[in-house]
Amino acid sequence: MAPRASRRPAAAAAAVVVAVVLAVSGGVGATPETACRAAAEEDRRVDYEFCVSRLSHHHDSPDADTWGLAKVAADVGVCIAGDAAYDAKAKLQAAKAGGEREALERCAELYDRMGSAFAAAYDDINRREYAAGKEKAGEAASLARRCDGAFADAGVAPSPLERQTAESVKIAIVCTAITNLVK
């Protein structure tokens, strides 16, 4: 009887591992917490708290599997880009002529393009063209970084859109990392 009893905990542990893998790999039951934890374990750049916070507040998250959460991350990217473009345009209203104004104009354009890149990532992931979706998320992150570069080139430090850029890059990383989990 002793050998049989010692196998039960191992079997139970194996069942738990299988359930978590199935939940995260696209099965029913994936949550922002499980997907973000798995993404953070796979990519150290994933900010777990940011990931959970942003994905949990999206209306599609409660019913989403991992594939759905990858699309949610791309959609959150669209929203962040839209907010950033709005912020750039609002700051542009108060900016005087010169380097900061030019950088704000450039960033408004870059954030508009970033929103389109995230939208394309969503469409690609939805079509299960994961490599293309990850490429578009990477393009979005690059566009955000170029905004900070525009301020640096203008001699404006720190960038008045530093938070928007950071959040844009973070959600691009989250989108890519969760897409990597989809099997």
Side-chain angles (χ1 to χ4, degrees):
M1 286 289 177
R4 178 179 257 170
S6 66
R7 287 191 303 218
R8 285 187 183 142
V16 168
V17 169
V18 168
V20 169
V21 168
L22 287 174
V24 173
S25 68
V28 176
T31 65
E33 292 82 4
T34 59
C36 291
R37 185 174 303 111
E41 288 172 4
E42 292 295 318
D43 186 339
R44 64 180 174 75
R45 300 173 303 155
V46 172
D47 179 333
Y48 173 79
E49 298 298 327
F50 173 83
C51 179
V52 170
S53 173
R54 287 310 191 121
L55 270 55
S56 294
H57 289 98
H58 192 279
H59 60 87
D60 288 337
S61 287
D63 299 322
D65 57 9
T66 306
W67 174 58
L69 289 172
K71 294 187 298 182
V72 165
D75 196 38
V76 169
V78 171
C79 294
I80 289 173
D83 290 347
Y86 176 85
D87 291 346
K89 291 170 187 171
K91 291 179 186 297
L92 189 56
Q93 298 300 318
K96 299 194 185 321
E100 182 175 6
R101 182 171 187 77
E102 291 170 11
L104 285 167
E105 289 171 346
R106 179 75 176 132
C107 286
E109 174 194 331
L110 289 167
Y111 282 126
D112 282 338
R113 289 175 49 200
M114 186 178 68
S116 296
F118 274 122
Y122 179 98
D123 291 341
D124 289 336
I125 294 166
N126 190 49
R127 287 190 303 268
R128 299 187 185 272
E129 295 173 3
Y130 304 125
K134 292 185 290 186
E135 183 179 325
K136 288 298 182 181
E139 180 183 321
S142 175
L143 290 165
R145 288 183 185 108
R146 287 170 53 191
C147 175
D148 274 357
F151 284 105
D153 291 347
V156 177
S159 162
L161 299 171
E162 188 173 37
R163 177 186 55 79
Q164 293 86 338
T165 295
E167 288 187 0
S168 300
V169 171
K170 283 182 184 181
I171 200 65
I173 291 168
V174 166
C175 181
T176 300
I178 293 178
T179 301
N180 282 334
L181 299 173
V182 180
K183 303 293 181 211

